[in-house]
Amino acid sequence: MTTAMPLPDSDDFRSAALPADPASRVVKLEPFNRSEALSLGVELELQLVNTHDYDLAPYAEDMLRLMAQTPLPGSVVPEMTSSMIEISTDICHSAQDVITQLSPIREALIRNADKLNIAVVGGGTHAFQQWHERRIYDKPRFRELSELYGYLSKQFTIFGQHVHIGCPDADSALLMLHRMSRYIPHFIALSASSPFVQGQDTQFDSARLNSVFAFPLSGRAPFTLSWKEFEAYFERMTRTGVVRSMKDFYWDIRPKPEFGTIEIRVFDTPLTVERAAALAGYVQSLAAWFLQEQPFEPTEDDYLVYTYNRFQACRFGLDAVYVDPASGQHMPLRDHILMTMTQLEWHSEALNATQALGELRTSVEANRNDARWLREKQGKERLLAEVVRQAALRFRGGGA
Amino acid sequence: MNLTNLINDLLGFWSEWLRPSAGLPTVLWSLLLAAAAASGHLVQRYLGLPKVVGYSMVGAVAGLAGFEGAIWPLRGISLFLLELGAAVVLFEAGGRLPLRWFRHNPMVLVQSLLEATLTYFGVFWMLQLLGLPDPVANPIALMAIVASPAVLSRVIIDTRASGPVTERAMTLATLNTFYALTLGYAQAGLIERAPQTLLQKLYPVAVVLGLSFVVGAILALALRTALRFMSPTSENTSILLLALIAAASALTAHVGGSAPLAALIGGVLLKTLNPKPWAWQRQLGTASSLLTMLMFVLVSIVAAQADWTLPVASVVLAVIGIRLFAKIAGVAIANPGSGASWNQAFWVGCAMSPLSSIALLIASNFTTASPLLGTMITQVALPSILLMEVMGAVLATVAIHAVGESSVPWTPQAFSTTEDTQR
């Protein structure tokens, strides 16, 4: 599944194929399944590049064929275009667990990439790929989405990390979702790794999220803390014929009733799996803080500054300004991230995420994220292909 | 009055009229290249075929009409231009030869060795069966090993292809060019001698390889030094690269090595010394295209000078058939464990069918070394090269489209429903 793309389950998703009577279009939302509170799941969308000029290379099918021969945790699946794959973990219980699962997957990816003479790279965008050169992965659903969205589907060759966090019940999931919304800028700034698009420095730390805006039903989930009300909203939306499943919503955070989780979708794929695991640890610590201390009640007014904060984080990364939704106070986002990390210390200890948060804290204190690393490399090399090569080395565990 | 006399009369008239200018050959070559450029464009636009087919057709028509711009066996400026064109292509191909890939996936190297060996022995056996003597069968079999990286790279550019089959075909084509050049240039020197011992047979191989390696290493070191202070994206770096390859080509030919082989080795060494992605291809652009177009026209002019008879055609078709079969079989037999599917292996074999300048250079070397045997070699070699420059390009295009590695649909541009917008 792409970062924020609605992927309808049924084939007849276009309005022309919908039943004429709005009442007959209504789909009931599936029940919110049980999951262990604070359980984790991580998905990473990754780039496949050739080792000659380091442009994206259409090797997804070959990679999937080779990966299927190795028993691994989680799964590896195709993505919208043939130069992307998505890896995911099984259910994890800590950041340590995440890295324990992601490491063998990474090793297998590297081994198979070497066999195919390609490289695997993290990052939210490929620095210089041309969207029109991308090919849609040969799968009926991707072909139909491509027909519906035209060039947007190829422009959606962007790479994100999704973090699922288990919630005790449906109402708790919505409470968790709206509390998490205050920390969307934190997630964006910490994971930002997409400063370059189509060979240009966008001046954004995370330009990837700008591509998501082009799609309908992006942004934030409607404010309700009651699953019953959410079900009613979902049914009203399906009556319009615009929505047929939860997958059609590509909000920054959305409930995932079949897993019993909420899914946070604003992260750029980091350049290393270690940072991906650390970010998952940060989300889990926040969730633990919410569940155990109930630190604040989310309100509709939180969303007054939501889009502004989100923009600031995308544009300036750790140098962004953060407007506190409750007090309206302006402060450096970096300071607010460090403040939350201090608040989370006890919870991160209990979740065995101290090291993960420590690594994130060190990078924030040094004012460094992956976007900065990419810009520094480009400043030195003056050749984006070389930046991608070094990013590929970094994904392998090498590179500075 | 036959056509040749008419042309000679016309040329005589024009040569008088054009005396003060740069000379008639320059005018004719310029017009020929202009016709080739237009033909390449039209062939792609209205027939959906690779541009190289258009270039070859113009060259073939000129050759059949008796154009004397290139004399067989090649010598002088035409030989140098052909070697330079091949050297530029092979330098780039050498830079794309991923040595570390063979460490991680030795089966690719096995595929290469197997398809080259099967091709050599398959063609050699077929020619023996058809009654050709060994000294003739051997050069033709060596020539058959080559899968033209020049044609393949032009097809890749035309189809905007990328993917596993494209990359593997290009790698295998570069490797078999390396084998054929080394053995071909070395054995050409032995054609009229009869080496008895293994040492006597290996000595010329070592000389060709050694000399080419030395020139290639000097070229790589010079470029590595230039890249320390010149930007790889600079136009001047591209010009420097082109000029140094030209100098290296002239030097290698002079000292007795192989100019294309030296360039190939230079590309490999430079990539090893400087693993950063190369960025000068875009700057080389039109200059490189002109040089390769000139090469294709030259090859087909020369190749069209062959005598076309029914017995020759039968031998040529037999050689082409066994060569294609051997290449597909070689790649397929070593396919398990190589990371490719059976379907991909089949199309890699097909994509390696083109023959062009390298084969012509090898044939030219043998013909120069032994004019007597050269006539028999030429009889089979030239028609095979001409046929497989055109048919090979088409087959490579079919292969790339069959595995879905082209970024453009295979419909003539003029009738395509998707518009390729240009700024």
Side-chain angles (χ1 to χ4, degrees), chain A residues 73-178:
Chain A
S75 64
V76 186
V77 293
E79 259 300 336
M80 187 67 153
T81 60
S82 55
S83 310
M84 316 167 72
I85 53 166
E86 182 184 280
I87 60 169
S88 56
T89 64
D90 287 329
I91 297 170
C92 302
H93 298 94
S94 65
Q96 194 54 47
D97 216 359
V98 172
I99 195 64
T100 305
Q101 293 199 19
L102 285 180
S103 294
I105 300 174
R106 182 209 14 216
E107 298 315 313
L109 284 171
I110 291 168
R111 198 169 52 249
N112 290 325
D114 284 342
K115 192 164 191 176
L116 293 170
N117 190 32
I118 57 171
V120 182
V121 195
T125 53
H126 183 278
F128 60 90
Q129 64 100 9
Q130 298 296 315
W131 65 265
H132 63 88
E133 289 175 357
R134 303 284 63 86
R135 293 171 217 155
I136 301 298
Y137 188 89
D138 189 16
K139 203 174 164 184
R141 199 175 62 181
F142 292 155
R143 281 201 301 271
E144 286 163 2
L145 286 170
S146 173
E147 272 180 39
L148 176 64
Y149 290 112
Y151 88 115
L152 290 181
S153 53
K154 288 187 181 180
Q155 285 208 328
F156 215 64
T157 306
I158 52 175
F159 308 85
Q161 173 182 351
H162 303 170
V163 177
H164 288 264
I165 187 92
C167 302
D169 56 67
D171 286 348
S172 305
L174 290 175
L175 186 59
M176 177 86 79
L177 185 155
H178 292 293

